[in-house]
Amino acid sequence: MHLLHPSSFLALMLPFSSLLTQTHASPSITHPRPSQRPLPLPVHVIHEFPKGTWIENIAVRPNDQILVSLATSPDLYQIDPVPHRRPPILVHAFAGYTSLTGIVEVDPDVFYVVAGNFSFEKFEEFSPVFGSSSVFEVDFTNNSRVGEKEGKETPAVRKVADFPTADLLNGAALLSRAAGDILLADSLAGAVWKLNVRSGAAAKVIAGEPLLKPGRSSGVNGLRVRGSTLFFTNSDRETLNCVPINASGSAAGAATVIAGGLTVDDFALDDEGQAYVAVSGAMNEVVKVTVPGGGVTVLAGSPQNQTTIAGPTGAAFGRGLLDRRSLYVSSTGGIQGYLGGNFTVGGRVSRIDVGSAGYYG
């Protein structure tokens, strides 16, 4: 979740307010070939929610069904990757919470979802409730099917842990599948927590690192672990960064900036370690960042077309034979709608055929 200060956002948006927009069709999935393609790449809309629906995060199940968390309601949905094949399925509504943020898979088809309390009624007065974050397990491995034709499933859901001293838990990443450890970004505190999903034990493992800290609103956001490196975005500082870590998740050295000048939200890594980053604010782009090196290539979207990818928030690679080289992107419908109520499109799940396969640790 990229919490952009309203005055900063409006200043960014003014140069683009009179430009025309366009939309893209939603063909069935085809197997993209890993070759050089003209940029920007086409964006295929898989599903669009009603206007005013903020999709915060995205993950893909082993069966290639897409999970999305909503920030404007405490709802976890499943989306079929083939457009119009079946309607979205409400997997679970988390009673007692207003919003969902990060999603991460540990064991196959067992996901962990962050829930918390904050409001979008007045975006300019956005204020998460301190200590309201919790993490839940959503286990599809022993689900009860209630409608085979519709693909409906009822997973087992249980609370793993409450975080009474966390400000706002946001992005989530797998640290160790064997140990059952995940990392969680505390965006307002500028810290990273480790949670053992089997015992429920939690502790801050990185705090005080300058590149994690917020500026005006939101600091560390998206997280991904590859080997002994933690990659993370910082929304306020507009950077993609990395820090060496120990097996415990604690920092083994200082963090460094990979790329800057990007209004970053969450991201995905491909199997070669390259980063695919959701860039929101006034940019509305998905970019590929070369790791190492920090070179930035705009793959899709543009500031001149505010509805191609309106407010991208997260990215996840497909896991099927036909879409393993495709990137699925979640979006909000555009932050300007939450500031003034002038929504152009709803939150969307879109597909971009990037020609690289994802890294799933």
Side-chain angles (χ1 to χ4, degrees), residues 110-178:
V110 182
F111 292 82
Y112 295 85
V113 178
V114 181
N117 290 315
F118 46 91
S119 174
F120 283 84
E121 291 299 318
K122 292 184 178 180
F123 189 80
E124 67 275 13
E125 298 175 8
F126 175 88
S127 180
V129 177
F130 178 83
S132 68
S133 295
S134 301
V135 174
F136 288 82
E137 179 183 84
V138 181
D139 183 353
F140 289 93
T141 60
N142 294 303
N143 64 74
S144 171
R145 291 187 178 274
V146 294
E148 183 70 31
K149 183 177 179 181
E150 293 80 15
K152 293 180 180 178
E153 298 173 302
T154 305
V157 177
R158 70 175 180 92
K159 182 186 284 187
V160 176
D162 293 319
F163 286 79
T165 60
D167 281 278
L168 171 64
L169 295 186
N170 194 347
L174 175 66
L175 175 62
S176 170
R177 181 171 286 111

Side-chain angles (χ1 to χ4, degrees), residues 337-354:
Y338 298 89
L339 288 169
N342 184 26
F343 292 98
T344 304
V345 297
R348 288 173 170 173
V349 174
S350 302
R351 192 188 85 243
I352 306 170
D353 299 333
V354 297

Side-chain angles (χ1 to χ4, degrees), residues 171-175 183-185 191-192 206 211-212 219-234 239-245 249 254-259 264-277 289-294 359:
L174 175 66
L175 175 62
L183 298 180
L184 301 161
V192 175
I206 306 178
L211 287 178
L212 271 70
V220 58
N221 192 329
L223 303 176
R224 293 290 182 271
V225 175
R226 181 178 170 88
S228 59
T229 302
L230 171 64
F231 297 88
F232 64 94
T233 55
N234 185 310
T239 53
L240 172 68
N241 319 272
C242 65
V243 61
I245 57 173
T256 56
V257 175
I258 299 171
V264 290
D265 203 315
D266 214 329
F267 64 104
L269 297 176
D270 71 12
D271 58 3
E272 295 182 351
Q274 307 305 296
Y276 295 73
V277 186
V289 178
T290 303
V291 180
Y359 173 75

